[in-house]
Amino acid sequence: MTSNSLKLFEAPKVADASRSIRHVFIRDLVLTCSIGVHVHEKSADQRVRINLDLAVDESGRPVDDNIKNVICYEKLAESVGDIIGRGHVNLVETLAENIATMCLIDKRVLSARVRVEKLDILEDAISVGVEIERINSEV
């Protein structure tokens, strides 16, 4: 790939006034989840921490102090809970992809960065996990 072709896939910068992009985020959402490839992980839920960073197109639309005119972080958190509630997933990568896909359903969301961390896996580490960033291909 050339340096010019790399720019085609560059994610929008979050909170970019020059491009009318708002940064919507959720920090340190801790939920219990059925996740993991090992037998012991399939028999008990474990804690995961989820962080979301969304680049949202404002396009000059007024907020007008109306929740319908913004991305609602409460609904985002509920939707993450719904995804977790669907049942067991083997990989944090799968969970992150499912969450990113949910975030990008709203066409105002230009990109979604999702971090999923398992909190109780390695004794000597606070967490292990994955962070992905996905771009809305329909924008």
Side-chain angles (χ1 to χ4, degrees):
M1 261 188 211
T2 67
S3 62
N4 287 338
S5 63
L6 287 176
K7 289 187 178 197
L8 294 174
F9 300 106
E10 188 175 304
K13 193 170 76 172
V14 292
D16 185 346
S18 69
R19 296 186 55 212
S20 295
I21 295 175
R22 175 179 292 124
H23 180 200
V24 175
F25 60 91
I26 294 179
R27 290 284 177 263
D28 300 328
L29 178 64
V30 177
L31 302 169
T32 58
C33 181
S34 180
I35 190 167
V37 296
H38 301 291
V39 173
H40 69 275
E41 293 178 303
K42 295 180 180 183
S43 63
D45 287 355
Q46 55 188 298
R47 294 182 318 138
V48 294
R49 178 173 38 230
I50 297 168
N51 284 279
L52 303 177
D53 290 282
L54 308 180
V56 179
D57 181 10
E58 296 178 325
S59 289
R61 292 182 294 256
V63 172
D64 291 334
D65 204 27
N66 187 332
I67 192 72
K68 293 178 184 177
N69 296 332
V70 297
I71 301 295
C72 176
Y73 50 79
E74 184 177 21
K75 287 184 180 179
L76 284 172
E78 289 172 2
S79 295
V80 170
D82 291 344
I83 290 168
I84 287 174
R86 291 181 193 158
H88 186 83
V89 293
N90 287 323
L91 303 173
V92 291
E93 290 84 354
T94 302
L95 181 56
E97 290 289 350
N98 291 343
I99 293 169
T101 298
M102 173 274 297
C103 292
L104 295 174
I105 288 172
D106 189 316
K107 301 306 173 226
R108 296 174 294 179
V109 178
L110 302 175
S111 69
R113 183 177 302 125
V114 179
R115 177 185 290 226
V116 176
E117 300 170 81
K118 293 166 80 172
L119 301 178
D120 304 311
I121 297 301
L122 298 178
E123 188 175 311
D124 296 329
I126 292 171
S127 68
V128 298
V130 66
E131 180 174 283
I132 64 170
E133 184 174 43
R134 297 297 177 258
I135 297 172
N136 198 333
S137 61
E138 296 188 26
V139 188

